[in-house]
């Protein structure tokens, strides 16, 4: 969630999806179907994705209004579906809360010198649930918190070559201590894994 922008990824995100949609090359489509079948088989064998409730006993407890308050720094990278690092970046965050509503301002600096900005608005709607919005988020991000873990699910609108791609994020944050939080987000389209983002946050 906090700490990444897709508009600079270009072909690394859209090229595998374009190939599947257009039918070229055929071997990519076959490989995708085989991978899906393998994943389905593993799921039927008893593997299941983790839920926030699995981390309910973990400490320290993550309180977004406490951690995302004031100034933070983050360091991150994007890896494509093959594991290759294709983007590195840093983020400076300025966060504030009024009651159950938080504003998270993110300023990105990429390794190539490019800069970008995103502003999130978070609302606490239940003791363990949050809703988030930003200008490039489709609809609302939905977050569930338990223990030291925070799971966000949302869709980002990615403009590429005159078209807009909707890319799904399964975003996990884990509070390590009062200062440090780790973040890993998996990106997908049509159920096809596009890559993942890894970040480390530190409070000033």
């Amino acid at each position: 969630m906090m700490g990444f922008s897709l508009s600079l990824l270009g072909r690394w995100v859209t090229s595998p999806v374009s190939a599947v949609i257009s039918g070229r090359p055929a071997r990519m489509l076959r490989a995708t179907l085989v991978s899906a079948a393998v994943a389905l088989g593993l799921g039927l064998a008893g593997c299941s994705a983790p839920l926030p409730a699995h981390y309910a006993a973990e400490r320290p407890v993550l309180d977004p209004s406490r951690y995302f308050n004031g100034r933070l720094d983050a360091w991150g990278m994007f890896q494509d579906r093959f594991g290759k690092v294709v983007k590195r970046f840093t983020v400076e965050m300025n966060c504030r809360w009024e009651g159950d509503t938080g504003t998270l301002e993110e300023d990105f600096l990429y390794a190539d010198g490019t800069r970008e900005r995103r502003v999130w608005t978070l609302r606490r709607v239940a003791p363990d649930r949050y809703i988030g919005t930003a200008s490039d988020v489709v609809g609302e991000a939905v977050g569930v918190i338990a223990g030291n873990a925070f799971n966000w699910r949302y869709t980002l609108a990615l403009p590429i070559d005159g078209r807009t791609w909707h890319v799904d994020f399964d975003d996990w944050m884990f509070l390590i201590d009062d200062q440090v939080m780790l973040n890993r987000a998996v990106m997908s389209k049509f159920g096809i894994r596009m890559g993942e983002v890894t970040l480390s946050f530190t409070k000033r």
Side-chain angles (χ1 to χ4, degrees):
M1 166 209 169
M2 339 292 182
F4 193 63
S5 182
L6 287 177
S7 63
L8 297 180
L9 293 183
R11 61 185 176 84
W12 292 297
V13 172
T14 59
S15 58
V17 175
S18 300
V20 171
I21 293 174
S22 64
R24 66 181 194 279
R27 64 179 178 274
M28 180 172 284
L29 179 57
R30 288 196 297 271
T32 300
L33 294 175
V34 169
S35 297
V38 171
L40 178 60
L42 290 174
L44 293 176
C47 296
S48 60
L51 299 172
H54 293 160
Y55 305 101
E58 296 294 329
R59 298 294 182 270
V61 172
L62 174 57
D63 178 355
S65 64
R66 179 180 177 184
Y67 187 81
F68 290 109
N69 198 8
R71 293 189 174 273
L72 296 88
D73 298 292
W75 298 262
M77 63 182 181
F78 169 74
Q79 294 171 273
D80 66 16
R81 64 195 187 281
F82 302 116
K84 179 182 178 181
V85 176
V86 295
K87 283 289 181 181
R88 293 178 293 112
F89 56 94
T90 60
V91 190
E92 292 185 359
M93 297 183 66
N94 187 17
C95 312
R96 59 190 180 276
W97 288 77
E98 293 184 9
D100 288 334
T101 301
T103 301
L104 284 60
E105 301 173 350
E106 301 175 325
D107 290 299
F108 299 84
L109 175 60
Y110 290 83
D112 62 4
T114 306
R115 294 181 179 273
E116 207 161 24
R117 182 177 175 85
R118 172 185 289 121
V119 178
W120 281 91
T121 299
L122 272 60
R123 291 185 296 112
R124 186 185 186 193
V125 295
D128 63 342
R129 294 183 182 274
Y130 288 76
I131 296 295
T133 57
S135 61
D136 52 356
V137 172
V138 180
E140 295 179 325
V142 178
V144 179
I145 193 166
N148 75 329
F150 200 178
N151 179 219
W152 278 98
R153 293 180 182 269
Y154 53 94
T155 301
L156 290 186
L158 169 61
I160 293 293
D161 298 330
R163 298 182 61 186
T164 299
W165 298 81
H166 289 179
V167 180
D168 299 322
F169 270 64
D170 183 10
D171 194 335
W172 284 88
M173 292 175 280
F174 296 93
L175 185 63
I176 304 303
D177 57 33
D178 289 341
Q179 299 297 119
V180 177
M181 187 176 69
L182 300 182
N183 185 187
R184 177 176 177 267
V186 174
M187 304 160 49
S188 62
K189 178 69 175 178
F190 302 134
I192 303 169
R193 185 188 183 100
M194 300 288 97
E196 65 180 64
V197 184
T198 305
L199 294 107
S200 174
F201 291 90
T202 301
K203 283 182 67 70
R204 293 187 184 179

